[in-house]
Amino acid sequence: AATLHCERFRAALASRPGDTVTFWKDWLHRAARSESSNDHGRSFLQFVVSGQSDPKVAGVKAEIAHDYIYDLADAIALDFGLDLETDRRPVLIANMLWGGNSDAVFRWSGSGGKIDLVNVVVTAAEEVAGIVRNYQEFVGFRRSP
C-alpha cells in the first residue's frame, strides 16, 4: 500500500501545474480531507498511533518519509534550477514541508483526532510556504522557466 501511495504521489508531482510548494499544500488538503471522511479518520488515527509502538509500522513510515522528502527535493530543485547534487536547499525545504506535515499530524493524533485534520495540515503547509517565500525573496532565487 505504501508503494502504491508513493507512486500516486510521484505521478501527481510529475504532472503538477505549478510550483512544488503549492502542489504540496493542495496534495495535503486533498489527502487530509480524504482521510477525515473515511470512517471519520479513525483508521488513519490508528495508523498514526500504531507507529509509536510497532517497529514494523515505524519502519514503513520512515521509508515513506524518505521517499516523499527526496521526491519533493527533486521537484524543488527543478522548480528553482538548482543542482540537487551540490545544493542542499531543496532537501532542506523538502524536510520543512514534510516536518510541518508530521508536526500537524502529531498534534491531530495527540488530540485523539478531535481537532480538524484538514485545517491543521493546511495551516502547517501554508506556514512553511510563507517561510519558503520569504527565503526566496531574501536570497533572490526565482523559479526557473
Side-chain angles (χ1 to χ4, degrees), residues 19-121:
D19 67 279
T20 304
V21 174
T22 301
F23 165 82
W24 178 247
K25 183 180 77 164
D26 294 342
W27 175 266
L28 291 180
H29 184 262
R30 287 189 306 274
R33 199 173 59 228
S34 174
E35 293 296 350
S36 294
S37 65
N38 182 26
D39 74 357
H40 302 289
R42 287 188 294 274
S43 296
F44 185 59
L45 181 60
Q46 180 61 36
F47 171 73
V48 170
V49 173
S50 68
Q52 298 166 357
S53 59
D54 186 337
K56 289 180 184 177
V57 174
V60 169
K61 286 181 181 181
E63 285 180 44
I64 291 170
H66 178 271
D67 289 348
Y68 268 83
I69 289 166
Y70 282 91
D71 289 341
L72 287 166
D74 286 338
I76 291 164
L78 185 63
D79 284 350
F80 297 107
L82 301 173
D83 180 359
L84 194 56
E85 295 296 320
T86 60
D87 195 326
R88 296 180 53 208
R89 291 177 294 179
V91 174
L92 296 173
I93 293 168
N95 271 286
M96 281 195 307
L97 293 170
W98 182 261
N101 183 60
S102 296
D103 179 65
V105 170
F106 177 78
R107 290 170 189 253
W108 171 77
S109 68
S111 77
K114 298 204 182 342
I115 62 175
D116 181 8
L117 177 62
V118 174
N119 183 54
V120 73
V121 298

